[in-house]
Amino acid sequence: MIEQKLFLDNDYAKAQEQLDDNEIDQLNWLKSNAWRYGFIIRYPEGKEELTGHWYQPFLLRYVGKENAKIMFEEGQVMETMKFSEEN
């Protein structure tokens, strides 16, 4: 499992080097498609200063389809997003 390859120092770059092609494909699919189902990558790459956490591509949060679409299209994170309630 991907989570088991993480080091205690939370250096995802080191863990990423150990991923096989199938695991990399899965992470890439999540990055591209999770929002379609209402999920976002909670701590996306390049947003560490905003979230206060290192990149964690395997940690997803459900925010609803409408919110996830906005976050994906605008590159927002939970800390910068004004959430709307879905019916």
Side-chain angles (χ1 to χ4, degrees):
M1 294 270 345
I2 295 169
E3 298 90 3
Q4 295 169 343
K5 293 182 180 180
L6 286 176
F7 294 90
L8 293 177
D9 65 358
N10 300 317
D11 188 350
Y12 183 72
K14 290 180 185 177
Q16 193 170 12
E17 293 172 2
Q18 296 183 15
L19 299 177
D20 63 35
D21 290 341
N22 185 47
E23 291 169 323
I24 291 169
D25 288 345
Q26 290 173 7
L27 288 176
N28 288 333
W29 188 92
L30 284 173
K31 286 181 198 178
S32 299
N33 295 289
W35 68 272
R36 297 176 194 275
Y37 302 93
F39 290 89
I40 52 110
I41 295 176
R42 178 60 182 99
Y43 303 114
E45 190 170 22
K47 301 289 184 171
E48 293 83 359
E49 278 194 35
L50 292 172
T51 65
H53 289 271
W54 61 90
Y55 172 50
Q56 295 182 39
F58 50 83
L59 184 58
L60 303 178
R61 289 288 182 260
Y62 184 80
V63 295
K65 289 182 180 181
E66 182 180 319
N67 290 319
K69 180 180 181 185
I70 292 168
M71 293 175 77
F72 179 80
E73 290 176 348
E74 297 180 5
Q76 293 199 44
V77 293
M78 292 182 78
E79 289 75 9
T80 63
M81 179 69 179
K82 182 178 179 182
F83 289 95
S84 65
E85 290 188 29
E86 292 191 5
N87 296 333

